[in-house]
Amino acid sequence: MAATGSEKQGATAYYVSTPIYYVNDAPHLGHAYTTVAGDVLTRWHRQRGEKVWYLTGTDEHGQKIMRTAEANNVTPQAWADKLVEEAWKPLWEHLNIANDDFIRTTEKRHTDRVQEFVQDLYDKGEIYKGGYEGPYCVGCEEYKLPGDLIDGEGEFAGQKLCPIHKKPVELLKEENYFFKLSAYGPKLLEFYAANPDFIQPESARNEVVNFVEQGLQDLSISRSTFDWGVPVPWDDKHVIYVWVDALLNYATAVGYGANQEKFDGTFPANVHLIGKDILRFHSVIWPAMLMAQGLPLPGKVVANGWLMVGGEKMSKSNLTGIKPQDLTSHFGVDAYRWYFLRAISYGSDGSFSWEDFSARYTSELANDYGNLASRVAAMVGKYFGGALPQDTAAGNAEQAVRDGLAKAVATADRKIGEELDFQGGILAVFDFVKQVNGYITEQEPWKVAKDTTPEGQARLATILYTAAESLRGVAVLLNAVMPETSQKLWESLGAEESLGALADQRVQDAGAWGVLPAGATVTKGAVLFPRLEEKPA
Ligand code: MSP
């Protein structure tokens, strides 16, 4: 079998994708959650000095988009254009998402290649014509198995509902083209067994393995009752099923069938980040489609849990009115990027609460981290005229801080860079921040400052150097999560001038000691985390 994403060679990019989001509405906190996670992961790898490719985009075909456009009296294309330009792209820019490309499934670079891919499968005998009848959920754009459905209550009493959207399914009967998915069950199981990390977390992996073990049905890959999609090349009365069209974005965006060099240097993805709602598409259908073409399989499919509101998956219909921008205007973009990854263990469900965000902001960001940065800069200013002194009198207490930084670097690099345990990685850095705060409290530099003997001044210098050099490490470690804050801190430490751009500091080397040179100009920069205003009404 061809190399998988986890076995890609050195010259190739570390390729991470988000789902491509439906453009039936504007983005909400749940979409931003996955996209921020991908941004942190890719910034982390960039800061390791790796070549990285971070892809996001929009899924624009299918009945769901078509119906929304119809309800708004515009064409689906006009609807998608408007949403992409006015809602999706601006939000990613606002949240400082450093994606390398943005693919839209209505672009010709995508649709042409989708047709070629499907034609190829047809020519290989992987696709046949057949009939299908079954319950369909337009919200999911998926045929459901009768056993998946739940009984409706209240206004939906007597009807069968989609368990995710809690809306009635529609009975669809169509003559379509089918992909021989059922033939791939044994090969998929073999692949999961040989690549135990392919699906994460463990609970997601178990769910998929159980599902495949029960036997797969062939997949209907065309629709003939509406026309908002990519035409089936050999039969233009059909359009290609929106999920087949959508999954192929991961190949078409990186040059499949168009730019072989780019494709070879990027594909397959090392990590597909997804929500657990779309797990089967990514861990069953997508690998089977690639197997059918003899293409290499992705490294990992990592499913995040759901952001919940009032005990339900946050969705466009139950948003309770909170937009990402409502939170960023109150807490700032960096705190927003930090909060969800810090508060929720990646892979688990989590509830958002304004109170929890405020409490963590104040205690962890403003008090622990922000205050440390401002106290250290103020003391270097007061006692040394803003010139970073040398640490000539280091002892056990300083060694413990140095060891603490080295440990934080190793832990964060493993947890964020490899395990996608964002919470664990962030906590490792904030534990170190706590350690440095404790060190300052114990050393009491403001008392040592009163000792004007050379020994006393050497101790004071050593304490402040130790604290500043620790912050140098913290700025590097938190740059992927909170890039604007890290930049402010970097400048306040005089590091931009003495060490160069923050982005060029290798994260794996951040635990080295003595990097910030004595004499660096430390200034009291802007407050990193201003006191919060009153919660908006
Ligand atoms: N268009 C498909 C994906 C195609 S990928 C080839 C789709 N789009 S979606 O707009 O519904 O977005 C799905 C993704 O958004 C989820 O998989 C998840 O990554 C993210 N989230 C949407 N709501 C979410 C929550 N409430 N919580 C966490 N993530 C959620 O499905």
Side-chain angles (χ1 to χ4, degrees), residues 149-162 165-168 312:
L149 303 177
I150 56 174
D151 290 321
E153 290 169 10
E155 62 171 316
F156 300 134
Q159 301 184 63
K160 292 286 182 188
L161 310 186
C162 161
H165 290 90
K166 311 268 173 4
K167 296 240 173 74
E312 292 273 321

PDB file of all heavy atoms in Angstrom, residues 149-162 165-168 312:
ATOM      1  N   LEU A 149     -32.542   6.333  13.584  1.00  0.00           N
ATOM      2  CA  LEU A 149     -33.525   7.399  13.781  1.00  0.00           C
ATOM      3  C   LEU A 149     -34.133   7.383  15.179  1.00  0.00           C
ATOM      4  O   LEU A 149     -34.150   6.359  15.847  1.00  0.00           O
ATOM      5  CB  LEU A 149     -34.643   7.260  12.739  1.00  0.00           C
ATOM      6  CG  LEU A 149     -34.140   7.287  11.285  1.00  0.00           C
ATOM      7  CD1 LEU A 149     -35.306   7.064  10.334  1.00  0.00           C
ATOM      8  CD2 LEU A 149     -33.443   8.605  10.973  1.00  0.00           C
ATOM      9  N   ILE A 150     -34.638   8.548  15.595  1.00  0.00           N
ATOM     10  CA  ILE A 150     -35.324   8.607  16.885  1.00  0.00           C
ATOM     11  C   ILE A 150     -36.786   9.000  16.667  1.00  0.00           C
ATOM     12  O   ILE A 150     -37.128   9.590  15.637  1.00  0.00           O
ATOM     13  CB  ILE A 150     -34.635   9.600  17.860  1.00  0.00           C
ATOM     14  CG1 ILE A 150     -34.545  11.003  17.234  1.00  0.00           C
ATOM     15  CG2 ILE A 150     -33.262   9.114  18.254  1.00  0.00           C
ATOM     16  CD1 ILE A 150     -34.008  12.062  18.187  1.00  0.00           C
ATOM     17  N   ASP A 151     -37.629   8.678  17.632  1.00  0.00           N
ATOM     18  CA  ASP A 151     -39.054   9.006  17.520  1.00  0.00           C
ATOM     19  C   ASP A 151     -39.301  10.466  17.865  1.00  0.00           C
ATOM     20  O   ASP A 151     -38.783  10.963  18.857  1.00  0.00           O
ATOM     21  CB  ASP A 151     -39.879   8.120  18.471  1.00  0.00           C
ATOM     22  CG  ASP A 151     -39.885   6.675  17.991  1.00  0.00           C
ATOM     23  OD1 ASP A 151     -39.972   6.477  16.770  1.00  0.00           O
ATOM     24  OD2 ASP A 151     -39.763   5.766  18.847  1.00  0.00           O
ATOM     25  N   GLY A 152     -40.111  11.112  17.011  1.00  0.00           N
ATOM     26  CA  GLY A 152     -40.431  12.509  17.258  1.00  0.00           C
ATOM     27  C   GLY A 152     -41.444  12.675  18.376  1.00  0.00           C
ATOM     28  O   GLY A 152     -42.216  11.768  18.670  1.00  0.00           O
ATOM     29  N   GLU A 153     -41.402  13.840  19.009  1.00  0.00           N
ATOM     30  CA  GLU A 153     -42.391  14.181  20.042  1.00  0.00           C
ATOM     31  C   GLU A 153     -42.946  15.557  19.727  1.00  0.00           C
ATOM     32  O   GLU A 153     -42.411  16.269  18.896  1.00  0.00           O
ATOM     33  CB  GLU A 153     -41.710  14.234  21.416  1.00  0.00           C
ATOM     34  CG  GLU A 153     -41.284  12.868  21.929  1.00  0.00           C
ATOM     35  CD  GLU A 153     -40.381  12.972  23.150  1.00  0.00           C
ATOM     36  OE1 GLU A 153     -40.243  14.068  23.700  1.00  0.00           O
ATOM     37  OE2 GLU A 153     -39.823  11.932  23.518  1.00  0.00           O
ATOM     38  N   GLY A 154     -44.004  15.921  20.421  1.00  0.00           N
ATOM     39  CA  GLY A 154     -44.579  17.262  20.252  1.00  0.00           C
ATOM     40  C   GLY A 154     -45.009  17.496  18.814  1.00  0.00           C
ATOM     41  O   GLY A 154     -45.730  16.681  18.230  1.00  0.00           O
ATOM     42  N   GLU A 155     -44.515  18.579  18.222  1.00  0.00           N
ATOM     43  CA  GLU A 155     -44.919  18.903  16.847  1.00  0.00           C
ATOM     44  C   GLU A 155     -44.510  17.805  15.852  1.00  0.00           C
ATOM     45  O   GLU A 155     -45.046  17.705  14.765  1.00  0.00           O
ATOM     46  CB  GLU A 155     -44.336  20.264  16.400  1.00  0.00           C
ATOM     47  CG  GLU A 155     -42.829  20.279  16.372  1.00  0.00           C
ATOM     48  CD  GLU A 155     -42.220  21.530  15.740  1.00  0.00           C
ATOM     49  OE1 GLU A 155     -42.708  21.970  14.677  1.00  0.00           O
ATOM     50  OE2 GLU A 155     -41.227  22.049  16.295  1.00  0.00           O
ATOM     51  N   PHE A 156     -43.514  16.980  16.223  1.00  0.00           N
ATOM     52  CA  PHE A 156     -43.064  15.918  15.322  1.00  0.00           C
ATOM     53  C   PHE A 156     -43.562  14.533  15.748  1.00  0.00           C
ATOM     54  O   PHE A 156     -43.028  13.513  15.311  1.00  0.00           O
ATOM     55  CB  PHE A 156     -41.538  15.911  15.220  1.00  0.00           C
ATOM     56  CG  PHE A 156     -40.965  17.197  14.699  1.00  0.00           C
ATOM     57  CD1 PHE A 156     -39.874  17.806  15.319  1.00  0.00           C
ATOM     58  CD2 PHE A 156     -41.492  17.803  13.556  1.00  0.00           C
ATOM     59  CE1 PHE A 156     -39.339  18.993  14.831  1.00  0.00           C
ATOM     60  CE2 PHE A 156     -40.958  18.989  13.047  1.00  0.00           C
ATOM     61  CZ  PHE A 156     -39.885  19.578  13.689  1.00  0.00           C
ATOM     62  N   ALA A 157     -44.567  14.488  16.608  1.00  0.00           N
ATOM     63  CA  ALA A 157     -45.073  13.198  17.093  1.00  0.00           C
ATOM     64  C   ALA A 157     -45.457  12.316  15.916  1.00  0.00           C
ATOM     65  O   ALA A 157     -46.030  12.787  14.920  1.00  0.00           O
ATOM     66  CB  ALA A 157     -46.270  13.427  18.004  1.00  0.00           C
ATOM     67  N   GLY A 158     -45.083  11.040  16.001  1.00  0.00           N
ATOM     68  CA  GLY A 158     -45.437  10.102  14.943  1.00  0.00           C
ATOM     69  C   GLY A 158     -44.440  10.093  13.788  1.00  0.00           C
ATOM     70  O   GLY A 158     -44.525   9.263  12.892  1.00  0.00           O
ATOM     71  N   GLN A 159     -43.465  11.007  13.809  1.00  0.00           N
ATOM     72  CA  GLN A 159     -42.492  11.023  12.713  1.00  0.00           C
ATOM     73  C   GLN A 159     -41.131  10.533  13.219  1.00  0.00           C
ATOM     74  O   GLN A 159     -40.847  10.562  14.405  1.00  0.00           O
ATOM     75  CB  GLN A 159     -42.334  12.449  12.174  1.00  0.00           C
ATOM     76  CG  GLN A 159     -43.625  13.034  11.651  1.00  0.00           C
ATOM     77  CD  GLN A 159     -43.386  14.410  11.034  1.00  0.00           C
ATOM     78  OE1 GLN A 159     -42.669  14.557  10.057  1.00  0.00           O
ATOM     79  NE2 GLN A 159     -43.993  15.412  11.632  1.00  0.00           N
ATOM     80  N   LYS A 160     -40.307  10.116  12.257  1.00  0.00           N
ATOM     81  CA  LYS A 160     -38.954   9.684  12.610  1.00  0.00           C
ATOM     82  C   LYS A 160     -38.015  10.867  12.406  1.00  0.00           C
ATOM     83  O   LYS A 160     -38.080  11.547  11.374  1.00  0.00           O
ATOM     84  CB  LYS A 160     -38.517   8.522  11.698  1.00  0.00           C
ATOM     85  CG  LYS A 160     -39.298   7.239  11.956  1.00  0.00           C
ATOM     86  CD  LYS A 160     -38.818   6.608  13.256  1.00  0.00           C
ATOM     87  CE  LYS A 160     -39.545   5.287  13.512  1.00  0.00           C
ATOM     88  NZ  LYS A 160     -39.228   4.771  14.857  1.00  0.00           N
ATOM     89  N   LEU A 161     -37.115  11.082  13.393  1.00  0.00           N
ATOM     90  CA  LEU A 161     -36.233  12.248  13.328  1.00  0.00           C
ATOM     91  C   LEU A 161     -34.764  11.853  13.192  1.00  0.00           C
ATOM     92  O   LEU A 161     -34.340  10.806  13.686  1.00  0.00           O
ATOM     93  CB  LEU A 161     -36.369  13.094  14.603  1.00  0.00           C
ATOM     94  CG  LEU A 161     -37.757  13.492  15.090  1.00  0.00           C
ATOM     95  CD1 LEU A 161     -37.635  14.434  16.280  1.00  0.00           C
ATOM     96  CD2 LEU A 161     -38.575  14.142  13.977  1.00  0.00           C
ATOM     97  N   CYS A 162     -34.009  12.757  12.576  1.00  0.00           N
ATOM     98  CA  CYS A 162     -32.545  12.618  12.556  1.00  0.00           C
ATOM     99  C   CYS A 162     -32.055  12.860  13.975  1.00  0.00           C
ATOM    100  O   CYS A 162     -32.441  13.839  14.610  1.00  0.00           O
ATOM    101  CB  CYS A 162     -31.934  13.651  11.613  1.00  0.00           C
ATOM    102  SG  CYS A 162     -30.179  13.921  11.912  1.00  0.00           S
ATOM    103  N   HIS A 165     -30.012  16.400  14.004  1.00  0.00           N
ATOM    104  CA  HIS A 165     -30.740  17.658  13.755  1.00  0.00           C
ATOM    105  C   HIS A 165     -32.099  17.728  14.436  1.00  0.00           C
ATOM    106  O   HIS A 165     -32.727  18.778  14.455  1.00  0.00           O
ATOM    107  CB  HIS A 165     -30.875  17.892  12.240  1.00  0.00           C
ATOM    108  CG  HIS A 165     -29.566  18.215  11.599  1.00  0.00           C
ATOM    109  ND1 HIS A 165     -28.729  17.249  11.089  1.00  0.00           N
ATOM    110  CD2 HIS A 165     -28.930  19.391  11.434  1.00  0.00           C
ATOM    111  CE1 HIS A 165     -27.628  17.826  10.631  1.00  0.00           C
ATOM    112  NE2 HIS A 165     -27.721  19.112  10.816  1.00  0.00           N
ATOM    113  N   LYS A 166     -32.572  16.578  14.941  1.00  0.00           N
ATOM    114  CA  LYS A 166     -33.870  16.534  15.630  1.00  0.00           C
ATOM    115  C   LYS A 166     -34.997  17.044  14.725  1.00  0.00           C
ATOM    116  O   LYS A 166     -35.906  17.744  15.185  1.00  0.00           O
ATOM    117  CB  LYS A 166     -33.837  17.330  16.952  1.00  0.00           C
ATOM    118  CG  LYS A 166     -32.652  16.999  17.855  1.00  0.00           C
ATOM    119  CD  LYS A 166     -33.019  15.910  18.837  1.00  0.00           C
ATOM    120  CE  LYS A 166     -31.941  15.327  19.700  1.00  0.00           C
ATOM    121  NZ  LYS A 166     -30.627  15.729  19.761  1.00  0.00           N
ATOM    122  N   LYS A 167     -34.847  16.782  13.431  1.00  0.00           N
ATOM    123  CA  LYS A 167     -35.875  17.185  12.464  1.00  0.00           C
ATOM    124  C   LYS A 167     -36.306  15.930  11.694  1.00  0.00           C
ATOM    125  O   LYS A 167     -35.508  14.996  11.530  1.00  0.00           O
ATOM    126  CB  LYS A 167     -35.287  18.176  11.447  1.00  0.00           C
ATOM    127  CG  LYS A 167     -34.829  19.501  12.047  1.00  0.00           C
ATOM    128  CD  LYS A 167     -35.608  20.657  11.401  1.00  0.00           C
ATOM    129  CE  LYS A 167     -35.322  21.982  12.058  1.00  0.00           C
ATOM    130  NZ  LYS A 167     -34.019  22.514  11.722  1.00  0.00           N
ATOM    131  N   PRO A 168     -37.560  15.936  11.156  1.00  0.00           N
ATOM    132  CA  PRO A 168     -38.014  14.748  10.426  1.00  0.00           C
ATOM    133  C   PRO A 168     -37.136  14.467   9.212  1.00  0.00           C
ATOM    134  O   PRO A 168     -36.693  15.394   8.541  1.00  0.00           O
ATOM    135  CB  PRO A 168     -39.429  15.135   9.975  1.00  0.00           C
ATOM    136  CG  PRO A 168     -39.845  16.249  10.865  1.00  0.00           C
ATOM    137  CD  PRO A 168     -38.607  16.969  11.270  1.00  0.00           C
ATOM    138  N   GLU A 312     -27.370  20.847  24.290  1.00  0.00           N
ATOM    139  CA  GLU A 312     -27.510  20.432  22.885  1.00  0.00           C
ATOM    140  C   GLU A 312     -26.271  20.857  22.113  1.00  0.00           C
ATOM    141  O   GLU A 312     -25.636  21.859  22.457  1.00  0.00           O
ATOM    142  CB  GLU A 312     -28.701  21.155  22.248  1.00  0.00           C
ATOM    143  CG  GLU A 312     -30.051  20.767  22.776  1.00  0.00           C
ATOM    144  CD  GLU A 312     -30.630  19.569  22.054  1.00  0.00           C
ATOM    145  OE1 GLU A 312     -30.464  19.490  20.809  1.00  0.00           O
ATOM    146  OE2 GLU A 312     -31.229  18.708  22.715  1.00  0.00           O
TER     147      GLU A 312
END
